[in-house]
Amino acid sequence: MSVINKKDTAYKTIGEVAKELNLINKKTGHLQTHTIRYWETQFNQIKPVIKAGKRRYYSQKVFLILKYIKFLLKEKG
């Protein structure tokens, strides 16, 4: 029987996603969460769960889509 790691299946905040995708301003060190919010407007596949206080939460599936988008845009141009 395989054990599912809670960390792998839990929803992530926009800050956690930005950190894991290394979307960090190199001069200031601030997370570039605005990049993720912009991608939400450009790609229909990115649909975060929006809960109380209008906070965004991203599933593992959406996180993988974001990771692929970043790879295509930043690495492949």
Side-chain angles (χ1 to χ4, degrees):
M1 185 169 128
S2 67
V3 176
I4 297 173
N5 187 342
K6 166 90 170 92
K7 186 173 180 254
D8 294 337
T9 59
Y11 281 78
K12 299 178 189 321
T13 65
I14 194 167
E16 291 169 332
V17 170
K19 196 177 287 185
E20 286 193 39
L21 293 178
N22 202 27
L23 291 172
I24 300 168
N25 183 310
K26 291 181 183 24
K27 288 182 182 167
T28 64
H30 291 119
L31 294 173
Q32 295 177 315
T33 55
H34 65 277
T35 303
I36 297 170
R37 288 191 294 274
Y38 175 73
W39 288 347
E40 282 178 29
T41 68
Q42 302 301 305
F43 301 98
N44 295 339
Q45 299 88 336
I46 305 171
K47 292 202 178 6
V49 174
I50 299 179
K51 297 199 176 190
K54 299 198 180 197
R55 290 187 55 126
R56 292 168 159 79
Y57 293 93
Y58 300 87
S59 66
Q60 184 64 20
K61 179 182 174 189
V62 173
F63 173 73
L64 292 174
I65 292 169
L66 284 164
K67 194 173 180 179
Y68 190 59
I69 288 170
K70 180 189 179 231
F71 170 74
L72 291 174
L73 291 174
K74 305 279 185 187
E75 325 251 330
K76 294 293 183 187

